[in-house]
Amino acid sequence: IKTTEGTLQGNGGNYAIVVARWNSFVVEHLLDGAIDTLRRHGISDSQMHIIRVPGAFEIPMACQQAAAHIDCDAIIALGAVIRGGTPHFEYVAGECTKGVAQVSMDTGKPIAFGVLTVDSIEQAVERSGTKAGNKGAEAATTALEMVNLMTSLK
Ligand SMILES: O=c1[nH]c(NC[C@H](O)[C@H](O)[C@H](O)CO)c([N+](=O)[O-])c(=O)[nH]1
């Protein structure tokens, strides 16, 4: 059975990292995890481009513009949508998730989804470098693998 899969080897790919400013006390740890993971796989800082947006709702648009105008082989989307007791959470989390998936398919660019959608600040802290790992680091690993996969499929 022929199988193609991406390795986690460093590569010459360029990585756009779209980062939301909302809940930055958590999101900055996701960013640190993503950058550290890329560096440890041999990606140089010159292969990374950080794009900052106000909140998760703006992430899809920034991903779309990055895919269109920036030389990037993959995008890493980082943010934290924390349920604040308002229905706002549902709309923001839902639109961000749907928007990122849509942009990835429309542009053919891999977008690693490192946007936390959690019920509490504690859950967000757990997923940004404590008990439940670092979702930013995981997203960076996904991006590396997808860049290598895309190369293998060509
Ligand atoms: O990134 C987030 N944006 C949030 N809202 C802002 C939104 O992403 C937009 O920036 C805003 O609506 C302006 O368009 C959040 N909440 O409202 O809870 C949140 O938890 N996280």
Side-chain angles (χ1 to χ4, degrees), residues 14-98:
N14 290 315
Y15 296 80
I17 310 175
V18 176
V19 188
R21 216 171 280 112
W22 257 73
N23 296 316
S24 59
F25 75 102
V26 162
V27 181
E28 288 306 302
H29 291 291
L30 299 179
L31 178 60
D32 291 345
I35 292 171
D36 179 57
T37 298
L38 291 177
R39 281 176 176 158
R40 288 165 65 197
H41 284 85
I43 303 299
S44 65
D45 287 9
S46 63
Q47 292 173 263
M48 304 178 207
H49 182 148
I50 295 171
I51 299 159
R52 292 189 179 277
V53 295
F57 191 82
E58 283 74 38
I59 288 176
M61 151 76 92
C63 289
Q64 184 185 56
Q65 296 305 306
H69 304 301
I70 288 175
D71 174 19
C72 60
D73 299 286
I75 301 171
I76 298 165
L78 303 177
V81 187
I82 303 176
R83 191 185 301 280
T86 66
H88 203 42
F89 165 88
E90 304 292 355
Y91 301 122
V92 172
E95 290 309 310
C96 176
T97 309
K98 280 188 296 189

